[in-house]
Amino acid sequence: MTASPPVERRRDAERTRAEILTVASAEFADRGYDGARVDEIAARTSTTKRMIYYYFGGKRQLYVAALESAYARIREAEQQVSVDHLSPADAIRRIAEVTFDHHEANPDFIRLVSIENIHRAEHIARLPEIVRINTPAVLLLDRILTRGRETGEFRTDVDAIDVHLMISAFCFFRVANQHTFGAIFGRDLLDPARRSHYRQMLSDMIVAHLTIT
């Protein structure tokens, strides 16, 4: 039994929208909000500028959609990780590793967030969904911290947002500052030979900060 024409049209629309978002994310990450051109995005997709405006409404809306999609992907990666069977310390390590892997594999996410910070969150602040998208990450960490406190392993004066900040800061810096860091200190933060070292260093740092000795 074949799909009805409306279903096919919906699937085509979803594919087109996803393609536009992928290309737009790369364009905004590479050129920034001001430098990106909708004409260029249209030229690199199987669509038109008019179609992009039809789907998203305009350049600002497309940029916000790209930001929303970028945040949604990292939050989705976190939520797909099963940590309930792990000890609190190992669960925290696993979340740190997922963030480390995601940031390394998605440098456009880092650049988009950096660009939005240059704009002082002007665009993302207008996105009501951004809180809903990011809240699960904090709730997941909070559940792990609660377990750790109940077993007497974790200190009580650190909250989930503190931990999220520490993990994000390390992972973000490693990708965002790789070029300046390399120029100043002569060390490639993305050197494959040191990848395991940095990944271990991150999780050790977070667990050491949380653990009661």
Side-chain angles (χ1 to χ4, degrees), residues 35-68:
R37 295 289 180 264
V38 177
D39 286 329
E40 180 64 21
I41 295 169
R44 293 169 56 192
T45 61
S46 56
T47 185
T48 63
K49 183 176 180 180
R50 180 179 179 183
M51 188 61 70
I52 290 175
Y53 285 141
Y54 171 78
Y55 280 116
F56 295 96
K59 179 180 177 180
R60 181 183 297 274
Q61 294 94 321
L62 178 58
Y63 172 71
V64 170
L67 279 171
E68 180 181 4

Side-chain angles (χ1 to χ4, degrees), residues 49-203:
K49 183 176 180 180
R50 180 179 179 183
M51 188 61 70
I52 290 175
Y53 285 141
Y54 171 78
Y55 280 116
F56 295 96
K59 179 180 177 180
R60 181 183 297 274
Q61 294 94 321
L62 178 58
Y63 172 71
V64 170
L67 279 171
E68 180 181 4
S69 178
Y71 274 103
R73 284 195 298 274
I74 174 61
R75 301 289 85 93
E76 182 181 354
E78 292 165 344
Q79 293 303 308
Q80 288 179 348
V81 177
S82 176
V83 296
D84 291 340
H85 65 292
L86 299 175
S87 70
D90 285 343
I92 287 290
R93 286 182 183 276
R94 186 70 191 109
I95 296 301
E97 290 166 354
V98 168
T99 305
F100 182 97
D101 295 344
H102 179 275
H103 282 28
E104 179 183 78
N106 295 274
D108 280 358
F109 169 71
I110 305 299
R111 287 191 283 268
L112 281 170
V113 174
S114 297
I115 289 163
E116 184 59 8
N117 273 287
I118 290 173
H119 289 276
R120 302 186 180 184
E122 171 190 348
H123 307 92
I124 209 169
R126 302 178 184 180
L127 182 61
E129 286 291 287
I130 202 66
V131 173
R132 181 191 63 78
I133 291 170
N134 286 278
T135 296
V138 176
L139 293 178
L140 176 60
L141 286 170
D142 189 58
R143 290 197 301 271
I144 298 170
L145 292 176
T146 297
R147 285 201 289 130
R149 295 185 193 112
E150 289 173 349
T151 60
E153 299 173 58
F154 287 169
R155 55 197 286 186
T156 60
D157 59 342
V158 179
D159 65 21
I161 294 180
D162 289 336
V163 177
H164 180 71
L165 169 64
M166 293 178 67
I167 294 172
S168 296
F170 185 98
C171 297
F172 196 95
F173 182 98
R174 178 172 170 264
V175 179
N177 291 41
Q178 59 179 294
H179 303 295
T180 52
F181 196 92
I184 295 169
F185 298 106
R187 177 172 292 183
D188 180 3
L189 293 178
L190 297 187
D191 180 358
R194 299 186 67 85
R195 184 180 191 275
S196 294
H197 166 75
Y198 287 131
R199 200 168 185 261
Q200 184 71 41
M201 189 168 90
L202 167 64
S203 58

